[in-house]
Amino acid sequence: MTPAVAPADVPLPPVEDLKALRDLARRGLVNQIQKYADRLDQASPANAPFTRHLRKLARDFRLEAIEEFVGRHLDSGPP
């Protein structure tokens, strides 16, 4: 099973994107999460490690793990 956390050195998308992803996970919108990951990849190739992990969790329908993964980064980010 894939852990809900990614390595600490994974670049993160902007806070607005993390909030949107957490909202999509809370609403159970797996397809929308995957589409959002596509947009993040198009916006910046540096997002690839983050979106790869996000897609794996979404593919496995691990919505709570996505909330935890994204939420942990929101909680530990800058104010």
Side-chain angles (χ1 to χ4, degrees), residues 10 23 39 63:
V10 170
D23 181 59
R39 287 196 302 271
L63 296 169

Side-chain angles (χ1 to χ4, degrees), residues 1-75:
M1 190 173 269
T2 304
V5 294
D9 59 348
V10 170
L12 298 174
V15 170
E16 312 83 60
D17 292 319
L18 295 174
K19 288 179 180 178
L21 287 165
R22 183 170 59 182
D23 181 59
L24 292 172
R26 286 180 175 162
R27 295 168 47 202
L29 301 174
V30 174
N31 288 336
Q32 292 300 318
I33 292 169
Q34 292 175 338
K35 288 178 183 178
Y36 208 104
D38 291 342
R39 287 196 302 271
L40 289 174
D41 280 341
Q42 290 173 356
S44 173
N47 289 324
F50 176 87
T51 58
R52 185 172 30 256
H53 187 71
L54 181 67
R55 281 192 185 92
K56 171 65 176 145
L57 294 174
R59 199 170 33 251
D60 294 342
F61 292 92
R62 296 191 54 214
L63 296 169
E64 287 182 23
I66 293 171
E67 280 188 61
E68 180 184 333
F69 172 55
V70 173
R72 180 168 299 165
H73 294 300
L74 279 171
D75 296 340

